[in-house]
């Protein structure tokens, strides 16, 4: 199998001729949704007569849920309900990308639509002004699903020189990373940084700070843009929590959390209170921190490679081997945020954000950690 897809080798200059054609005042809107796997993304495009000014100008649509593992063929129509609109970095203005919720035929949420319950929790705790920052790790793969630029049938040099590196012998795939970053900025994604990670061919981008539901909306669309950029380059991006077994780092989605009280003077007390609450719900959080009830994270959370063991809850200042890390600067300042290092790279950010806020801010008011739970 070729390292890159055949489509990526087509004449892109010829393609640009068609992209430059005028649209006659029409607008292309690409609807994006989460499929029945809870981690895959689907999309399709329609024409609107004019550029939408807000999400209210974009109509609901539908799709065949039996082809996305979201319904049976006998009753397969699913509703797409637009919730967030972004500029389209691939076919440019006035065209749009639109993130959608999925509803079943009876307008109940699809099983993998965790946005509705997450948003209810965020609305119920709005006075706390919860800020999130999510660090999305991923690995670039060739079309044979082996890490990009790794020797075929072998391995590169051991980990050490690749993290935040520079140079062709250490950095694999920077073109994709930089194009993704620019595309996210153009789209209006709240992307705030990127860096090469510990395993060669592994990268990270960060989304945030965002308040409430926005962090998950923006992260999902940033993932979509990443897959589309990789498509143009003929490569793949995987969020598998442990893409290569052995002495190689896995991929997580470290989640930074801060409430208004945590950011104010003396906020460290509230950070410590939140961590204490999290310690009592460890297994419940693990069960929603990947799409398979913790089975994916078992391969990653071993206690090695900058992780805590999946069975144990721990916390510490500047400790990347803990479940919850308090940054050293936060410890010195006595206020700020904490980092939950347990979520897997392929987590549903709605489930992660909801679980954290339920445990830290609604304990006692709501004894159910989450409304939907994926099974293997």
């Amino acid at each position: 199998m070729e390292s890159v897809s055949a489509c990526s080798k087509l004449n892109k200059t010829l393609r640009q001729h068609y992209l430059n054609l005028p649209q006659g005042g029409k607008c292309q809107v690409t609807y994006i949704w989460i499929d029945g796997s809870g981690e895959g993304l689907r999309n399709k495009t329609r024409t609107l007569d004019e550029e939408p000014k807000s999400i209210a100008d974009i109509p609901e649509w539908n799709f065949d849920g039996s082809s996305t593992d979201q319904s049976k063929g006998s009753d397969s129509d699913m509703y797409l309900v637009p919730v967030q609109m972004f500029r389209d970095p691939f076919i440019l203005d006035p065209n749009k990308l639109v993130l959608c919720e999925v509803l079943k035929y009876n307008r109940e949420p699809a099983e993998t639509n965790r946005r509705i319950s997450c948003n209810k929790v965020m609305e119920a705790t709005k006075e706390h002004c919860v800020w999130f920052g999510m660090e999305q790790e991923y690995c670039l793969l060739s079309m044979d699903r082996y890490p990009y630029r790794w020797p075929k049938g072998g391995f590169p040099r051991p980990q050490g020189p690749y993290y935040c590196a520079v140079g062709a012998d250490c950095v694999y795939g920077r073109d994709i990373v930089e194009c993704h970053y620019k595309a996210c900025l153009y789209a209006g994604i709240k992307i705030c940084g990127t860096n090469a990670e510990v395993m060669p061919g592994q990268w990270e981008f960060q989304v945030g700070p965002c308040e409430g539901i926005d962090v998950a909306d923006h992260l999902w669309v940033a993932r979509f843009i990443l897959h589309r950029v990789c498509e143009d380059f003929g490569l793949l991006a995987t969020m598998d929590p442990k893409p290569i077994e052995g002495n190689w780092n896995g991929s997580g989605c470290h989640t930074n959390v801060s409430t208004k009280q945590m950011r104010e003077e003396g906020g460290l007390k509230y950070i410590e209170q939140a961590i204490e609450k999290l310690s009592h719900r460890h297994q419940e959080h693990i069960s929603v921190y990947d799409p398979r009830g913790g089975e994916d994270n078992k391969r990653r959370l071993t206690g090695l490679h900058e992780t805590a063991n999946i069975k144990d809850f721990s916390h510490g200042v500047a400790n990347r081997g803990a479940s919850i890390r308090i940054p050293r600067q936060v410890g010195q300042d006595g206020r700020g945020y904490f980092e939950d290092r347990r979520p897997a790279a392929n987590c549903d950010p709605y489930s992660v954000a909801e679980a954290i806020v339920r445990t830290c801010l609604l304990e006692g008011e709501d004894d159910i950690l989450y409304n939907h739970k994926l099974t293997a």
Side-chain angles (χ1 to χ4, degrees):
M1 182 182 287
E2 292 184 293
S3 294
V4 298
S5 69
C7 184
S8 68
K9 299 179 181 180
L10 295 177
N11 187 334
K12 302 303 181 183
T13 302
L14 181 62
R15 174 178 179 266
Q16 193 60 42
H17 164 75
Y18 295 100
L19 291 180
N20 289 337
L21 293 174
Q23 298 182 188
K26 305 290 186 179
C27 179
Q28 290 174 257
V29 177
T30 297
Y31 289 60
I32 302 165
W33 71 95
I34 303 160
D35 69 15
S37 70
E39 55 185 322
L41 287 161
R42 308 291 180 114
N43 68 103
K44 64 177 188 172
T45 304
R46 72 185 296 177
T47 303
L48 298 186
D49 288 335
E50 59 185 9
E51 180 181 359
K53 300 298 187 290
S54 71
I55 199 71
D57 297 328
I58 301 174
E60 290 187 11
W61 206 8
N62 57 69
F63 69 96
D64 171 18
S66 67
S67 297
T68 61
D69 198 27
Q70 290 176 290
S71 71
K72 296 179 180 179
S74 58
D75 201 352
S76 65
D77 280 357
M78 309 284 284
Y79 293 103
L80 290 171
V81 181
V83 292
Q84 281 264 23
M85 181 174 71
F86 301 87
R87 298 167 72 195
D88 190 325
F90 304 104
I91 53 177
L92 309 184
D93 290 336
N95 306 300
K96 307 297 181 186
L97 301 178
V98 177
L99 180 66
C100 300
E101 288 183 356
V102 177
L103 304 181
K104 295 187 286 190
Y105 70 94
N106 57 5
R107 300 195 68 84
E108 289 295 312
E111 281 70 14
T112 52
N113 179 356
R114 287 163 175 76
R115 188 182 189 276
I116 289 180
S117 61
C118 179
N119 201 35
K120 287 179 180 177
V121 168
M122 297 307 161
E123 288 297 315
T125 56
K126 186 181 292 185
E127 72 275 13
H128 293 280
C129 301
V130 185
W131 291 0
F132 293 97
M134 288 189 164
E135 305 170 20
Q136 177 67 70
E137 293 179 335
Y138 63 94
C139 183
L140 294 174
L141 304 179
S142 299
M143 290 303 295
D144 59 5
R145 307 198 71 84
Y146 200 62
Y148 177 58
R149 282 195 55 202
W150 280 34
K152 298 305 177 186
F155 299 94
R157 291 178 295 164
Q159 294 183 158
Y162 308 106
Y163 174 70
C164 295
V166 65
D169 59 337
C170 294
V171 176
Y172 305 169
R174 193 187 296 275
D175 285 349
I176 288 174
V177 172
E178 292 182 341
C179 289
H180 173 250
Y181 202 149
K182 280 294 189 79
C184 284
L185 289 173
Y186 180 92
I189 300 293
K190 293 181 180 178
I191 186 170
C192 60
T194 189
N195 59 269
E197 267 301 334
V198 177
M199 187 177 81
Q202 183 187 44
W203 293 85
E204 173 184 298
F205 65 88
Q206 301 95 33
V207 169
C210 299
E211 187 168 335
I213 199 75
D214 277 356
V215 71
D217 287 347
H218 284 244
L219 184 60
W220 271 117
V221 178
R223 287 175 174 178
F224 174 82
I225 292 173
L226 175 63
H227 290 306
R228 274 288 284 105
V229 170
C230 286
E231 184 181 319
D232 285 344
F233 280 90
L235 297 178
L236 306 171
T238 179
M239 278 79 176
D240 188 289
K242 187 71 173 178
I244 299 295
E245 294 300 320
N247 196 26
W248 304 99
N249 273 36
S251 296
C253 188
H254 304 152
T255 300
N256 301 283
V257 186
S258 175
T259 65
K260 183 179 179 182
Q261 287 179 318
M262 293 176 188
R263 296 188 292 273
E264 294 173 344
E265 195 70 33
L268 185 59
K269 174 181 70 174
Y270 297 100
I271 292 172
E272 291 170 342
Q273 289 175 0
I275 293 172
E276 176 64 21
K277 292 178 180 179
L278 289 167
S279 71
H280 299 304
R281 310 297 284 266
H282 176 63
Q283 290 305 322
E284 292 166 286
H285 279 254
I286 289 295
S287 71
V288 296
Y289 278 7
D290 71 50
R292 293 170 185 82
E295 291 302 309
D296 281 348
N297 241 344
K298 278 183 181 178
R299 296 180 285 118
R300 168 180 161 259
L301 297 180
T302 61
L304 304 173
H305 307 110
E306 301 181 79
T307 71
N309 190 286
I310 194 169
K311 297 178 181 179
D312 304 317
F313 181 90
S314 59
H315 68 278
V317 175
N319 183 358
R320 284 179 165 78
S323 308
I324 307 293
R325 180 179 74 95
I326 299 175
R328 187 169 302 282
Q329 191 64 47
V330 172
Q332 292 174 356
D333 294 344
R335 61 181 177 179
Y337 66 97
F338 66 88
E339 177 192 42
D340 191 336
R341 298 179 59 81
R342 298 171 294 173
N346 63 344
C347 69
D348 185 332
Y350 296 122
S351 294
V352 172
E354 177 181 349
I356 291 172
V357 172
R358 279 186 184 275
T359 295
C360 296
L361 299 177
L362 292 177
E363 190 178 55
E365 299 176 40
D366 186 346
D367 213 27
I368 304 172
L369 180 60
Y370 50 92
N371 291 343
H372 304 287
K373 179 179 178 181
L374 286 179
T375 55

